[in-house]
C-alpha cells in the first residue's frame, strides 16, 4: 500500500537499515580518521580497538542515540506493518492461531530489543557501565529471539504456501542470520569475559554490521504488498489454493508466487 503515492511499507526496513549502516560507518570512520584510533578511557588496558559503545559514549553520543532510536523504531514499525498487511490480506494470511502467536511473540521481543538498544545508547558504558551491559544483552537477546519466532512463522507459512517462493527465501535468510549471529555473539561474550578485548571488539562490530542485513531482509517480506493494493487482488481468508480459484476453476501462478485470479490481477 502506498500513502498518497509517496510511501510504501517496504521503505520502513530500507530507511532503517540505511540509518543503522550510516551510523556505524560514521562512528567507525570518526574513530579512525578524526581521532586517529584514540584510546578511550572506557577501553580496558591493552585494548587498541574501540568498541561501538566506547565511541558512542564520547562526542558522537547524540548520533549514537538518534541513529539507534530511528533504526529500531522503523524496524519495529515494519514488524507491525507485516502483521497488519497479513491481517488485511495484502500479504499471505496467517492461517492458524499458532502462526499469529508466533507473530506477536516476534513483535514482543523486537520491542524488548528496541528498548535495550535505545537505553544502552543513553546509559553509556562510561557513566553507567553495569546498566549498559544489561541493556546490551536485552538488545542482542531480544532481537535474536524475535528472529527465531519470525523464522518459525515463515517456516510454517512456507510449508502451507509452497507456491510462494518468497516465503522460503525469507525463511532461509532469517535462519542464516540466527545461526551466524548466535556464533558471533557467543565468541563476542566469551572473549569479553576472558579480556581478549581486541578480538571482542572486532566481533562486536561484525554482529552490528550483520544486523544491517537482517533489517534489510524485511524489504522482501513487505514489497509484495505493492501488488495487492486493490481489494480484488488481496488474499482470501484461506490458504487452500483451490478456494482462491475463479469460477472457471483455472488460475495461473507467476514466478513470484502470486496467483492471477478471474480479473487477471495478482493475488
Amino acid at each position: 500500500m502506498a500513502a498518497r503515492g509517496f510511501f510504501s511499507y517496504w521503505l520502513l526496513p530500507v530507511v532503517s537499515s540505511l540509518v543503522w549502516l550510516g551510523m556505524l560507518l560514521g562512528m567507525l570512520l570518526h574513530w579512525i580518521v578524526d581521532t586517529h584510533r584514540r584510546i578511550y578511557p572506557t577501553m580496558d588496558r591493552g585494548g587498541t580497538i574501540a568498541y561501538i559503545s566506547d565511541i558512542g559514549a564520547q562526542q558522537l553520543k547524540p548520533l549514537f542515540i538518534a541513529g539507534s532510536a530511528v533504526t529500531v523504531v522503523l524496524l519495529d514499525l515494519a514488524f507491525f506493518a507485516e502483521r497488519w498487511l497479513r491481517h488485511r490480506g495484502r500479504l499471505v494470511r496467517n492461517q492458524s492461531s499458532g502462526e499469529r502467536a508466533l507473530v506477536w511473540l516476534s513483535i514482543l521481543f523486537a520491542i524488548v530489543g528496541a528498548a535495550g538498544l535505545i537505553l544502552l545508547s543513553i546509559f553509556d558504558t562510561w557513566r553507567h557501565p553495569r546498566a549498559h551491559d544489561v541493556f546490551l544483552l536485552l538488545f542482542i537477546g531480544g532481537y535474536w529471539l524475535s528472529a527465531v519466532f519470525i523464522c518459525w512463522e515463515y517456516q510454517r507459512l512456507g510449508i502451507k504456501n509452497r507456491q510462494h517462493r518468497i516465503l522460503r527465501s525469507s525463511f532461509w535468510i532469517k535462519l542464516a542470520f540466527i545461526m551466524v549471529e548466535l556464533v558471533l555473539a557467543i565468541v563476542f561474550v566469551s572473549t569479553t569475559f576472558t579480556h581478549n578485548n581486541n578480538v571482542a571488539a572486532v566481533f562486536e562490530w561484525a554482529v552490528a554490521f550483520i544486523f544491517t542485513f537482517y533489517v534489510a531482509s524485511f524489504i522482501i517480506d513487505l514489497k509484495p504488498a505493492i501488488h495487492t493494493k486493490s481489494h480484488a487482488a488481496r488474499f482470501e481468508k484461506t490458504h487452500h489454493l483451490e478456494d482462491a480459484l475463479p469460477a472457471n476453476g483455472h488460475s495461473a501462478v507467476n514466478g513470484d508466487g502470486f496467483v492471477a485470479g478471474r480479473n487477471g490481477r495478482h493475488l
Side-chain angles (χ1 to χ4, degrees):
M1 176 179 178
R4 299 181 181 178
F6 296 103
F7 172 77
S8 292
Y9 291 106
W10 63 271
L11 292 175
L12 290 170
V14 170
V15 178
S16 178
S17 59
L18 289 177
V19 169
W20 180 251
L21 180 61
M23 183 196 73
L24 291 178
L25 290 175
M27 295 174 72
L28 183 60
L29 291 174
H30 168 76
W31 176 64
I32 295 173
V33 177
D34 295 338
T35 72
H36 305 288
R37 300 177 182 267
R38 175 187 171 188
I39 304 299
Y40 293 106
T42 51
M43 296 169 63
D44 292 336
R45 182 176 300 176
T48 58
I49 300 177
Y51 287 86
I52 298 170
S53 299
D54 292 327
I55 303 170
Q58 303 297 324
Q59 290 175 308
L60 295 189
K61 184 172 181 177
L63 172 65
F64 191 27
I65 295 173
S68 298
V70 171
T71 297
V72 294
V73 167
L74 292 179
L75 176 58
D76 286 10
L77 285 176
F79 275 80
F80 281 104
E82 193 250 8
R83 175 68 192 104
W84 187 82
L85 290 169
R86 293 200 188 284
H87 175 71
R88 297 286 294 174
R90 296 287 306 280
L91 297 173
V92 177
R93 291 180 183 269
N94 293 116
Q95 183 178 4
S96 67
S97 58
E99 290 174 6
R100 287 186 286 273
L102 291 173
V103 174
W104 287 113
L105 284 170
S106 70
I107 291 174
L108 172 63
F109 282 104
I111 293 173
V112 171
L117 180 58
I118 293 172
L119 290 171
L120 77 84
S121 66
I122 296 172
F123 294 90
D124 60 70
T125 189
W126 188 16
R127 302 169 184 84
H128 312 278
R130 292 186 180 180
H132 180 86
D133 290 342
V134 171
F135 295 135
L136 176 62
L137 291 176
L138 284 179
F139 165 55
I140 295 175
Y143 273 113
W144 189 83
L145 287 172
S146 176
V148 168
F149 287 117
I150 202 167
C151 185
W152 191 355
E153 177 209 358
Y154 273 68
Q155 186 261 347
R156 296 183 63 167
L157 281 172
I159 289 175
K160 297 175 183 177
N161 303 274
R162 295 184 182 277
Q163 72 275 23
H164 301 294
R165 292 175 295 179
I166 198 169
L167 295 171
R168 295 195 300 275
S169 299
S170 184
F171 164 75
W172 287 112
I173 290 171
K174 290 173 175 57
L175 181 62
F177 167 81
I178 290 169
M179 301 306 296
V180 170
E181 289 288 69
L182 178 61
V183 172
L184 294 179
I186 290 174
V187 175
F188 165 64
V189 173
S190 62
T191 51
T192 298
F193 278 103
T194 55
H195 302 290
N196 293 313
N197 300 308
N198 286 339
V199 176
V202 169
F203 275 91
E204 184 193 48
W205 283 99
V207 168
F209 276 112
I210 291 175
F211 184 67
T212 307
F213 296 100
Y214 174 67
V215 177
S217 74
F218 288 92
I219 298 171
I220 67 172
D221 299 333
L222 297 175
K223 198 168 184 179
I226 65 177
H227 299 286
T228 55
K229 295 178 182 179
S230 68
H231 287 279
R234 297 185 182 183
F235 291 91
E236 301 292 338
K237 291 186 178 181
T238 174
H239 279 274
H240 296 293
L241 185 60
E242 60 270 17
D243 293 339
L245 292 177
N248 62 10
H250 297 290
S251 69
V253 181
N254 67 15
D256 294 326
F258 293 101
V259 184
R262 181 183 310 175
N263 57 8
R265 297 182 181 180
H266 294 300
L267 296 181

